[in-house]
Amino acid sequence: MPSAASRPDERAPADRGDSLVVAISSRALFDLGDSHALFEREGVEAFAQHQIEREDELLAPGIAFPLVQKLLHLNRAAPAAPRVEVILLSRNSADTGLRIFNSIEHYGLDIARAAFTRGAPTSPYVHAFGADLFLSANPDSVAQALRAGIAAATILPSKAPQRQSDQVRIAFDGDAVLFGDESEEVSESAGIDAFHRHETERAREPLSGGPFRGFLDALHRLQQAFPSEDAPIRTALVTARSAPAHKRVILTLRDWGVRIDEALFLGGRPKGPFLEAFGADIFFDDSVANVESARRHVATGHVPRRKRPAT
């Protein structure tokens, strides 16, 4: 009999090769607004009773449901390609979480691994599962995952329409998301002219990697498993930068050896209409103003910036 360590379904995260692993909270995957409001209002016992009484009632899809559905579809589209795995993380107990798994089964989502913590934080399990991305409706959980070096975003309420295309379309802000926030700090502290001088002088110096660089790398590896002219994943950089600050971005991506399919240098224009034109399934940005513009058009994840220590 093979040992537990040798069983394929029990590999350590480091052995997952080129697979893309996405961890998602139950509130990002399904619409649990009413249940969560009950939890906040009346506590864990009332919440548990509510879930058990409605165990056979299906949950409606949440904001990130279409993205998860499309990502899992990649496994059926190309079984030989690096696998996409979605992990469910929930602060329900296993008992009250049965309604969630019933809904997963109904919608045909290939989600087998999960962690139910009965009110305890789920963020420690994001790293344990080897996640490349964590999506949650809880800002505190997102902040903890980011501190652990994992790409993470708070999924915000949105009335964005579901995209009909089977292609997965993911858009990123640049500074403080794909790249570090050093250049953005210059803009905020010294103004846009100083920012442009800073970027022009350092055009051939690669930008540092931001919290989503690892996730972009994982997407790039997955893209390479498909013919470039028929790839089921398309990415976009949607940034407030404009010339001459564009050059450093382009050369940085070239230095990293990763692929971005579309790059929009908007020079401060509102991002929402451009994201709708791109057809983004999700967009990641650190700016609250940009997030508010974006979520009127597409599903949006807020990537909070880490506070720098006072000097």
Side-chain angles (χ1 to χ4, degrees), residues 117-159:
T117 64
R118 200 178 184 277
T122 60
S123 51
Y125 297 106
V126 179
H127 183 268
F129 276 117
D132 299 295
L133 175 68
F134 175 48
L135 302 176
S136 175
N138 187 315
D140 291 336
S141 297
V142 166
Q144 291 172 27
L146 286 167
R147 285 195 291 271
I150 296 162
T154 306
I155 296 295
L156 300 174
S158 170
K159 296 189 180 299

Side-chain angles (χ1 to χ4, degrees), residues 19 35 57 59 62 84 86 132 141-142 157 204 221 231 244 246 252 308:
S19 61
S35 300
E57 293 181 16
L59 294 164
V84 177
V86 175
D132 299 295
S141 297
V142 166
R204 297 193 175 277
R221 292 193 302 270
H246 69 297
T252 294
R308 293 179 178 271

Side-chain angles (χ1 to χ4, degrees), residues 246-255 265:
H246 69 297
K247 186 174 183 179
R248 191 178 186 194
V249 166
I250 293 169
L251 294 178
T252 294
L253 293 171
R254 184 183 298 172
D255 180 77
F265 298 96

Side-chain angles (χ1 to χ4, degrees), residues 144-230:
Q144 291 172 27
L146 286 167
R147 285 195 291 271
I150 296 162
T154 306
I155 296 295
L156 300 174
S158 170
K159 296 189 180 299
Q162 183 172 350
R163 308 295 165 185
Q164 298 304 312
S165 169
D166 288 337
Q167 191 177 53
V168 179
R169 291 187 165 229
I170 300 178
F172 304 89
D173 178 35
D175 295 292
V177 177
L178 287 184
F179 313 120
D181 65 356
E182 299 87 352
S183 297
E184 196 159 284
E185 289 285 330
V186 173
S187 176
E188 292 175 354
S189 62
I192 192 66
D193 290 338
F195 167 77
H196 280 143
R197 286 195 302 272
H198 180 270
E199 295 304 283
T200 300
E201 291 168 359
R202 294 164 176 78
R204 297 193 175 277
E205 177 184 322
L207 289 155
S208 65
F212 273 65
R213 178 180 174 177
F215 177 52
L216 180 63
D217 286 339
L219 279 179
H220 177 72
R221 292 193 302 270
L222 191 57
Q223 282 179 312
Q224 288 183 309
F226 299 90
S228 59
E229 68 277 5
D230 193 32

